[in-house]
Amino acid sequence: MSDRRCAVCASPAASGCSGCHAVFYCGKPHQKAHWKQHKPACVPYKIAESPELGRHLLATRNIRPGELVLRNAPLVVGPKQFSDALCLGCLRPLGPSVHLCQCGYPMCSPQCAAAAVHQPECEATRRSGRRLEVDVTVSPNPHYQAVTVLRCLALRGTDAWRQLQQLQAHEQERQLSGRHAELDDHALQFLHYLGVDVSPQEVYQICGVLDVNGFEGPLHRAVGLYPRAALLEHNCSPNTTRTFEEDLTLVLRASVLIPKGSHITTSYADPLWGTDNRRYFLRQTKYFDCTCRRCADPTECGSELSSLRCPDCSDGLVRCTAPLEPAVPWRCSQCPRELSATEVVQIMQHIGEQLVNVEKGSVTAAETFIRDFTTVLPPTHFYMCDIKVRLAGSG
Ligand SMILES: [Zn+2]
Ligand SMILES: [Zn+2]
Ligand SMILES: [Zn+2]
Ligand SMILES: [Zn+2]
Ligand SMILES: [Zn+2]
Ligand SMILES: [Zn+2]
């Protein structure tokens, strides 16, 4: 801290730029004097606060498509609560040959076992005197459900811990939802098995913070907490894209022109899912009902991602009549045919089950799926997009 110098006069710095935290000043007068020069290099957003949205980010100038909006190193990264066995050093899937760390966790190499990121669970396990026996074939794997919680607990007493405490956890809603309560209790039991000194409330809070604020890294392999990016508002047609650097630093770029004063948004749900699936996911994990323009539009902004083919006419598309209302009928764009909400759910469940069962990497199975459902789903439907993405990946 003490080696920070004023960008204008080089005397010891008292404060920094509250936007980028990258330049420091002896006091307000020099910060003011430097602003004109610093502005182009500073972050293009400010943190705003409102009763409905809480803290959120607003563009302080026009941001061009492709331009960097923010880079944010994670406070913590680790496996998701539901995770298969993976290397706890590099968070990649385990290869055919594994290196068993002294703690019992399988890693890809001695280097990964020695990685700083692995030490919280490694030390806790060794201190407990227990040696874990991890069956890597179990999915999801119970040995990984509390690892990221342990990594959070290892931050206690640091600035990162204080930042973590400021993130929303929605503990009450989670406790009311049996699924979360059960999962969180499993994590708690595992931590107590290792003799970790932690209260149920602390575990519930950390699990909530991870669920509500966590971003999944590339290939969904891990979850990370990003204090700046956690302030991003959700939109199902976001104006930014997220990528990750090798060390899982999150990089956010504008995907369209973001005019000065507008809200900077990201999508917490998979943008390639249909409206019902996105809204269900957001309610279950983020505890809000999305009412964005795309969710409110029966055509999903013209993408027709959720629309079905009409069973009665040749070129009609059956769309939900009011996507933000529960259980409303779906109606054809060309003829009077209607489907009830229940009928649509049944159709989607049936096709969804078939999609899950399509053998991974099999071109024939993917093509059979497309042929079987081409009379029900238009090519724009998100199930069709999903299977075509898979076909492209396996080719
Ligand atoms: Zn100065
Ligand atoms: Zn700045
Ligand atoms: Zn590794
Ligand atoms: Zn270890
Ligand atoms: Zn939405
Ligand atoms: Zn029709």
Side-chain angles (χ1 to χ4, degrees):
M1 293 276 162
S2 56
D3 58 348
R4 285 174 175 169
R5 300 265 161 187
C6 175
V8 177
C9 67
S11 53
S15 60
C17 170
S18 60
C20 59
H21 300 283
V23 286
F24 301 91
Y25 301 100
C26 59
K28 280 276 169 224
H30 275 175
Q31 177 163 11
K32 265 202 156 124
H34 194 243
W35 176 239
K36 220 177 160 155
Q37 191 188 336
H38 172 55
K39 195 179 176 191
C42 192
V43 293
Y45 62 82
K46 66 173 183 192
I47 299 173
E49 191 151 13
S50 78
E52 318 84 68
L53 292 170
R55 291 195 296 165
H56 58 280
L57 304 182
L58 293 182
T60 48
R61 56 173 170 81
N62 289 343
I63 309 174
R64 297 182 311 275
E67 204 181 325
L68 179 72
V69 178
L70 67 83
R71 280 183 81 240
N72 202 184
L75 288 180
V76 69
V77 287
K80 295 183 287 179
Q81 204 168 25
F82 268 119
S83 176
D84 289 346
L86 46 71
C87 173
L88 290 174
C90 61
L91 297 170
R92 289 193 170 82
L94 291 162
S97 72
V98 298
H99 166 81
L100 268 196
C101 184
Q102 301 171 39
C103 60
Y105 277 111
M107 317 283 287
C108 39
S109 64
Q111 287 76 11
C112 277
V117 67
H118 169 55
Q119 297 319 302
E121 64 275 6
C122 194
E123 275 167 25
T125 309
R126 285 185 284 136
R127 216 179 308 125
S128 74
R130 298 183 190 273
R131 196 169 193 286
L132 302 177
E133 287 190 27
V134 181
D135 178 354
V136 297
T137 62
V138 179
S139 168
N141 201 301
H143 281 102
Y144 293 79
Q145 61 194 354
V147 168
T148 309
V149 178
L150 252 174
R151 291 180 178 186
C152 289
L153 289 169
L155 300 173
R156 280 196 280 215
T158 67
D159 186 52
W161 178 252
R162 279 183 292 280
Q163 294 184 55
L164 187 150
Q165 295 294 317
Q166 287 174 9
L167 299 173
Q168 283 187 316
H170 290 285
E171 285 139 290
Q172 284 178 346
E173 289 99 326
R174 285 175 66 81
Q175 279 304 301
L176 290 173
S177 124
R179 191 184 85 92
H180 290 305
E182 197 184 322
L183 278 174
D184 294 359
D185 280 332
H186 285 162
L188 179 67
Q189 282 160 21
F190 186 77
L191 293 170
H192 282 169
Y193 169 76
L194 293 181
V196 176
D197 178 22
V198 63
S199 71
Q201 282 65 37
E202 279 178 297
V203 171
Y204 300 154
Q205 190 230 353
I206 293 172
C207 289
V209 164
L210 286 167
D211 238 8
V212 176
N213 305 279
F215 283 104
E216 282 188 11
L219 306 172
H220 310 283
R221 70 179 198 229
V223 65
L225 277 185
Y226 300 87
R228 263 304 152 93
L231 302 179
L232 286 163
E233 192 181 324
H234 167 83
N235 192 293
C236 296
S237 313
N239 53 21
T240 62
T241 52
R242 298 192 297 267
T243 52
F244 294 88
E245 294 176 349
E246 190 53 32
D247 65 353
L248 295 179
T249 290
L250 184 153
V251 178
L252 194 81
R253 291 183 184 280
S255 52
V256 291
L257 174 77
I258 307 176
K260 179 178 176 178
S262 46
H263 295 225
I264 300 174
T265 59
T266 192
S267 179
Y268 290 94
D270 190 331
L272 293 179
W273 288 349
T275 295
D276 280 348
N277 298 46
R278 291 193 316 278
R279 296 189 85 228
Y280 179 79
F281 173 83
L282 292 167
R283 170 111 293 275
Q284 290 298 308
T285 62
K286 313 292 175 189
Y287 307 99
F288 71 93
D289 294 308
C290 190
T291 56
C292 78
R293 196 166 68 90
R294 178 173 163 195
C295 282
D297 179 352
T299 73
E300 292 200 38
C301 302
S303 68
E304 308 288 3
L305 220 63
S306 296
S307 311
L308 303 174
R309 279 196 203 276
C310 178
D312 287 359
C313 69
S314 57
D315 47 22
L317 288 174
V318 183
R319 304 176 183 130
C320 183
T321 47
L324 303 185
E325 306 297 323
V328 291
W330 289 43
R331 191 172 300 136
C332 178
S333 56
Q334 307 288 332
C335 78
R337 180 62 189 254
E338 281 196 358
L339 294 173
S340 72
T342 320
E343 282 174 300
V344 173
V345 168
Q346 282 166 354
I347 294 169
M348 292 305 294
Q349 258 172 9
H350 171 68
I351 305 178
E353 281 161 20
Q354 306 300 310
L355 183 65
V356 168
N357 290 329
V358 171
E359 192 191 327
K360 283 204 181 87
S362 161
V363 174
T364 325
E367 285 173 348
T368 306
F369 177 90
I370 293 174
R371 200 174 47 240
D372 285 353
F373 296 110
T374 196
T375 54
V376 190
L377 305 177
T380 53
H381 193 274
F382 68 97
Y383 279 171
M384 285 301 193
C385 298
D386 182 309
I387 200 87
K388 279 179 241 164
V389 166
R390 288 204 224 169
L391 260 179
S394 66

